[in-house]
């Protein structure tokens, strides 16, 4: 009986260890540089309206459906951006841009684990405080757009990995004065990130 109990305990420990290695959950923390495209149309273009680049924190939660296919939810905290007309500040706004991508991971390339992904971005725009002289400017409160992604994980051990990641996210808003559209501002940022991942 003692041998059976010992064997059962060892078996449970081994099974738990294997299950930990095979967990479908991966969490990453990244530092990401946000580089705005700042494509404009209409009066917005004539004013040379542009939004600043910045570096932001990012947390990503990935669930592996199988060893090659995964879904990743990309999150950050609300970000404040400064809007300019040329080099003159018009004010600020905040945005929260969660993104969901479906990824394919290449698993037969040795130590390197590259992946590609595509998905959908939703951006909530708030806290708009913009003026061109005495004219108050408004922005759309929501943006929906595609997201494209490519990156690579470099395992450090069975759970930790180093990550490099590049995304193109399509975000745009119309700019308004007294309810009339002045044109469209396409932010369409490229996000270049580096971070670490932990596979549970």
């Amino acid at each position: 009986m003692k041998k059976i109990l010992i064997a059962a305990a060892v078996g449970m420990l081994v099974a738990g260890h294997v299950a930990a290695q095979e967990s479908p959950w991966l969490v990453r923390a990244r530092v990401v540089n946000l580089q705005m495209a700042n494509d404009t149309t209409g009066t917005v273009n004539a004013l040379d309206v542009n939004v600043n680049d910045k570096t932001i924190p990012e947390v990503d939660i990935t669930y592996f459906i199988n060893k090659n296919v995964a879904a990743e939810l990309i999150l950050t905290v609300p970000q404040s951006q400064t809007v300019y007309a040329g080099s003159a500040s018009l004010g600020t706004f905040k945005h929260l841009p969660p993104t969901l991508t479906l990824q394919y991971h290449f698993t037969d390339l040795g130590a390197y684990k590259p992946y590609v992904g595509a998905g959908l971005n939703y951006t909530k725009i708030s806290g708009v405080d913009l003026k061109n002289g005495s004219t108050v400017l408004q922005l759309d409160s929501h943006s929906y757009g595609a997201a494209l992604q490519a990156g690579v994980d470099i395992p450090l051990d069975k759970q930790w990995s180093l990550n490099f990641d590049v995304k193109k996210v399509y975000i745009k808003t119309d700019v308004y004065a007294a309810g009339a559209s002045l044109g469209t501002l396409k932010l369409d940022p490229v996000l270049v990130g580096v971070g670490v991942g932990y596979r549970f």
Side-chain angles (χ1 to χ4, degrees):
M1 179 62 70
K2 185 182 292 185
K3 290 181 180 179
I4 292 172
L5 290 174
I6 292 172
V10 170
M12 290 175 64
L13 288 172
V14 170
H17 181 64
V18 171
Q21 290 179 344
E22 296 177 347
S23 168
W25 294 101
L26 170 65
V27 175
R28 297 188 187 91
R30 296 188 183 114
V31 176
V32 176
N33 184 250
L34 197 67
Q35 303 170 15
M36 299 295 189
N38 287 324
D39 292 330
T40 54
T41 64
T43 304
V44 175
N45 185 62
L47 291 172
D48 189 22
V49 172
N50 61 94
V51 176
N52 69 302
D53 301 333
K54 69 182 302 184
T55 299
I56 66 174
E58 187 179 279
V59 174
D60 311 290
I61 303 169
T62 302
Y63 180 82
F64 281 82
I65 299 166
N66 57 46
K67 71 174 185 176
N68 297 110
V69 179
E72 181 174 82
L73 180 61
I74 302 161
L75 302 169
T76 187
V77 295
Q79 298 297 322
S80 179
Q81 303 280 166
T82 302
V83 182
Y84 298 90
S87 59
S89 175
L90 299 176
T92 61
F93 71 95
K94 292 182 179 179
H95 63 97
L96 182 63
T99 301
L100 181 65
T101 62
L102 187 66
Q103 302 171 331
Y104 185 85
H105 291 252
F106 300 89
T107 57
D108 300 320
L109 298 175
Y112 296 93
K113 310 293 183 184
Y115 57 86
V116 293
L120 180 67
N121 167 263
Y122 164 74
T123 297
K124 170 65 176 176
I125 297 173
S126 63
V128 180
D129 183 14
L130 302 174
K131 286 186 178 181
N132 182 24
S134 60
T135 303
V136 176
L137 304 177
Q138 299 93 30
L139 303 176
D140 293 325
S141 58
H142 306 277
S143 172
Y144 297 89
L148 302 174
Q149 180 182 35
V152 62
D153 290 309
I154 304 172
L156 301 175
D157 58 26
K158 291 181 179 179
Q159 292 178 300
W160 290 96
S161 59
L162 183 64
N163 176 257
F164 297 94
D165 184 86
V166 178
K167 291 182 284 292
K168 176 71 172 181
V169 181
Y170 292 88
I171 303 172
K172 68 177 182 179
T173 177
D174 281 350
V175 181
Y176 302 90
S181 176
L182 302 179
T184 300
L185 171 60
K186 295 181 180 179
L187 302 177
D188 294 349
V190 172
L191 295 86
V192 180
V194 61
V196 294
Y198 183 81
R199 185 79 177 258
F200 289 93

